[in-house]
Amino acid sequence: MTFATLALVIALGLCGPLLALRQSWHIPVILGELLAGIVFGTTGFGILHPADPIFTFLADMGFAVVMFVAGTHVPVRDPAVRSAVGKGAVRAVLVGLLAVAAGFGLARSFATGHGAIYAVLMASSSAALVLPIIDSVGVSGKPILALTAQVAIADTACVVALPLVIDPANAGRAALGAVAVAVVAATVLFLVLRKLELSGRRRRVHRLSEKRAFALELRVSLAVLFALCALATQTRVSIMLAGFAAGIAVAGIGEPRRVARQLFAINDGFLGPLFFVWLGARLNLREFGDHPRLIGLGLALGIGAVLVHLSTRVAGQPIAFGILAAAQIGVPVAAVTVGSQLHVLLPGEASAMMLGALCTIAAAALAASRIATRTAKSGAN
């Protein structure tokens, strides 16, 4: 990793906003970043070397911040969403049960033995992806509240479940580590933040930081985040869980807008694009040539995720909302990252997982366009 390489990575990150420029397409920014990494990485020209330890460490930092921001997107404080938790939970459970059957069916069909991983992938949703789409199409009401609750529940449950299913031989140790990170440490963090908020100390620090341009809240947030990542590393838990748990704890208090803007700058302007370019560079799509059947696996994972989410139609959810709930990115990215680090995935399987995630994003974009069109027509009438 040199300054020249870093400049190239940041420049490649601009492919994300360029591809997502047309708002009506609802294409997530990360898609362009992944594609740029694929073209310049292992699959393409080979200019980027994802095995470089400095590049990998920076990508790990980006992964932690990406999951932290995803956790802050979970609307745990919204009373309207909490009122829809029951309906959202029923739908999330229904999707999860069908995903288990579909996941093990796919694992048997493709002889991979990773049915539990596929089940978690197909059951997952992405709050960080779905909630901005909901905001962009400008819809509201009880169906949206139920959808938001469903996505938040599925996102949280699958993030917690993934480390347990991706390495079942060490599931007990992973469970203990998850408890230490996600329950004990995150709960302590929440209680400390809550006490500071109720005492008024957080607001006083905020005013001082804003007046003197100290960025104290951002510094503390990053210090706490990386401390949780250190704990996760010591307990052999993925930093994915550490980042997400820290984000949930902050969301429980209410993230100050100033900190949100600062995190946006760090995540979306530097570490996030770097991580997704690195991830794209790490994927080896040439393995599809040696294992073409895994293209079918990727398509099956994406289509399967959409189909199991469409089952919520029996619970009264509109079809377009069910497709939108199937959008996933955080859990597949975590599965690819952690699975590759633990060497538990088959050659080409990581690329198949990302192909499945891209299929759900494409379906969600189409569903969002349909919802936006209907909303515009109803507003005109």
Side-chain angles (χ1 to χ4, degrees), residues 92-301:
V93 169
L94 175 60
V95 170
L97 292 175
L98 292 176
V100 170
F104 280 92
L106 285 180
R108 184 174 181 179
S109 299
F110 289 90
T112 63
H114 291 153
I117 298 177
Y118 300 161
V120 171
L121 290 178
M122 287 190 285
S124 70
S125 293
S126 174
L129 190 62
V130 175
L131 298 185
I133 291 178
I134 292 174
D135 291 338
S136 69
V137 297
V139 290
S140 59
K142 291 183 178 180
I144 289 297
L145 294 177
L147 171 63
T148 303
Q150 174 192 344
V151 169
I153 292 169
D155 199 5
T156 304
C158 290
V159 166
V160 173
L162 182 63
L164 306 181
V165 302
I166 206 165
D167 188 14
N170 297 306
R173 185 182 64 187
L176 291 176
V179 169
V181 173
V183 178
V184 178
T187 300
V188 170
L189 174 60
F190 170 77
L191 293 175
V192 170
L193 291 176
R194 186 169 181 268
K195 184 175 181 179
L196 292 174
E197 185 70 26
L198 294 177
S199 67
R201 293 176 183 173
R202 202 278 306 168
R203 287 187 293 275
R204 290 196 294 271
V205 171
H206 170 77
R207 288 193 292 268
L208 173 64
S209 178
E210 186 175 19
K211 182 179 180 180
R212 301 291 302 278
F214 285 162
L216 293 175
E217 292 162 306
L218 176 64
R219 297 175 192 234
V220 172
S221 297
L222 291 177
V224 170
L225 169 61
F226 294 137
L228 281 181
C229 290
L231 176 62
T233 303
Q234 292 297 320
T235 55
R236 298 183 180 274
V237 174
S238 170
I239 58 176
M240 164 198 71
L241 189 58
F244 195 78
I248 289 284
V250 172
I253 300 300
E255 185 182 31
R257 283 176 294 180
R258 181 177 173 82
V259 178
R261 290 194 298 269
Q262 292 167 339
L263 280 173
F264 171 82
I266 291 176
N267 180 61
D268 290 43
F270 177 44
L271 289 176
L274 184 147
F275 168 69
F276 286 112
V277 170
W278 171 85
L279 181 62
R282 186 171 184 173
L283 294 176
N284 186 3
L285 299 187
R286 296 183 183 185
E287 292 176 334
F288 279 151
D290 299 326
H291 308 278
R293 67 189 183 90
L294 293 183
I295 298 177
L297 173 61
L299 294 175
L301 285 171

Side-chain angles (χ1 to χ4, degrees), residues 295-313:
I295 298 177
L297 173 61
L299 294 175
L301 285 171
I303 295 171
V306 173
L307 291 178
V308 297
H309 280 84
L310 283 177
S311 65
T312 55
R313 184 72 184 96

